[in-house]
Amino acid sequence: MLHITDPQVAELLDFRGVADVLAEAFQDLADDKAAVHGRQRTDCAGTKLSTMGGVWAARNVAGVKVYPTVAGQFSFAVILFDLSTNTPVAVLDGNELTRFRTAAITRMVASRAVAPSPRKLALFGAGLQGRSQAHALCEVFRFDEICVVDPKADPAWIDRLHARSGARVRLTTAEKAVRDAGIVVTATRSAEPVFDGAWLEPGAFVAAIGTSTPKGRELDDTTMTRAARIVVEWKQQSLVEAGEIVLWNQRHLSEKYVDLPELFGGRQPWQLQQPGITVFKSVGVGLADVATAQLVLSRARGGWLLASDEARP
Ligand SMILES: NC(=O)c1ccc[n+]([C@@H]2O[C@H](COP(=O)([O-])OP(=O)(O)OC[C@H]3O[C@@H](n4cnc5c(N)ncnc54)[C@H](O)[C@@H]3O)[C@@H](O)[C@H]2O)c1
């Protein structure tokens, strides 16, 4: 069985490629050619073991991501099976894979749901995930301004983001960041709301990716109540895992929720018919990990590993 390490995964992936493969996988989920294996969590003495996965029948692969959580830190691995031979074919370190697929899913949803092109991005949390969220979105949107809210943000990264995006990038307060922002991303470890939803522009797109437990939330009730629509990856998992939904005092407003199978299946339009706030609440689903792992494996087999960019097929 092939073992693909985190540095190799990082070498093999790019945000656009992952966003494209995620779109294919969720289209197949809408067409009953793929299925999500929902997350299972087992707690013991302050640590946790979680598993999540998926079957992508259209591509003849199935797999699981498994990760312990120790002192709040994750360590991910993915095991992939070839269904045509019914054999395990690869085990992948999952830390880089998770980083890519989490940023790519925000990019995939935003690129379909956001219009017109936003000029300002507000980013809460410039850690591992937050930095990748900004990079993935800057490949799709041309921001004039990026406001970063994070007391621990690395000033050198702020400079690099400016060089990479061409936007004015500055560290600022929560209110200054959210006001006038077309896109707001929250990627913190906060269990409490990180901004007041009253500050949001009427047409803002908000991506909350930071918590996946029902006890914590980055978005407040005002944001959820003001949202015209709440997009989630997969209702069966998201509606019970997302603290933003579970703790929201009007969580029973089910007509606001739409998931990716409904959007890819054409049962709901990607763009709002009337101007309004869209919330994308991501908790992470296993089909995204399997689809991304399948992309890694096919690129590894196709000779991408250690090839220079010019040599890539
Ligand atoms: N949705 C998904 O699929 C998915 C996948 C992976 C990780 N996550 C989640 O993303 C979150 C971030 O993960 P990470 O690895 O980037 O963590 P990290 O520790 O590297 O970064 C978090 C950053 O948030 C900042 N921060 C904390 N509270 C803040 C606040 N109130 N306002 C602004 N900034 C604040 C911290 O200073 C830190 O720099 C975690 O909660 C993790 O569980 C979600």
Side-chain angles (χ1 to χ4, degrees), residues 62-298:
V64 284
K65 177 157 97 173
V66 55
Y67 60 100
T69 311
V70 179
Q73 300 297 318
F74 314 110
S75 174
F76 301 105
V78 177
I79 179 163
L80 210 56
F81 293 80
D82 181 340
L83 297 179
S84 60
T85 55
N86 200 7
T87 48
V89 281
V91 61
L92 298 86
D93 292 355
N95 299 311
E96 285 297 306
L97 185 148
T98 300
R99 181 173 72 79
F100 270 94
R101 73 90 156 112
T102 305
I105 205 160
T106 302
R107 170 187 163 136
M108 183 193 78
V109 174
S111 62
R112 286 165 170 75
V114 174
S117 192
R119 311 310 299 177
K120 178 178 168 187
L121 168 68
L123 174 70
F124 288 78
L128 189 69
Q129 303 298 334
R131 293 194 298 270
S132 293
Q133 295 278 322
H135 294 164
L137 289 171
C138 284
E139 289 179 2
V140 181
F141 302 106
R142 221 182 147 73
F143 299 111
D144 295 329
E145 189 180 7
I146 301 176
C147 288
V148 179
V149 185
D150 186 335
K152 295 189 183 151
D154 174 5
W157 177 73
I158 301 285
D159 292 344
R160 287 201 299 280
L161 184 61
H162 164 67
R164 192 171 177 149
S165 66
R168 287 190 309 280
V169 186
R170 62 192 171 108
L171 279 166
T172 182
T173 63
E175 181 166 0
K176 282 187 180 146
V178 171
R179 295 232 184 246
D180 307 324
I183 297 185
V184 178
V185 175
T186 59
T188 74
R189 289 176 182 269
S190 177
E192 302 295 327
V194 296
F195 65 85
D196 183 337
W199 301 333
L200 285 165
E201 278 295 295
F205 175 87
V206 182
I209 72 113
T211 67
S212 59
T213 70
K215 291 183 180 161
R217 56 175 175 173
E218 296 177 295
L219 305 183
D220 63 1
D221 280 2
T222 308
T223 301
M224 301 301 277
T225 303
R226 285 189 67 203
R229 184 162 68 167
I230 298 161
V231 178
V232 296
E233 288 137 319
W234 184 57
K235 282 181 182 175
Q236 266 174 270
Q237 185 177 320
S238 309
L239 300 189
V240 292
E241 283 192 351
E244 279 81 359
I245 293 168
V246 175
L247 301 173
W248 176 30
N249 59 18
Q250 294 176 51
R251 64 184 169 282
H252 300 298
L253 290 179
S254 58
E255 70 277 9
K256 281 203 193 189
Y257 304 125
V258 55
D259 68 6
L260 296 183
E262 289 171 317
L263 290 166
F264 277 102
R267 279 171 274 159
Q268 295 267 356
W270 277 98
Q271 301 213 351
L272 286 171
Q273 306 304 293
Q274 308 286 334
I277 292 169
T278 296
V279 165
F280 171 49
K281 173 58 204 170
S282 163
V283 292
V285 291
L287 181 63
D289 298 299
V290 171
T292 307
Q294 201 273 342
L295 178 67
V296 171
L297 182 63
S298 69

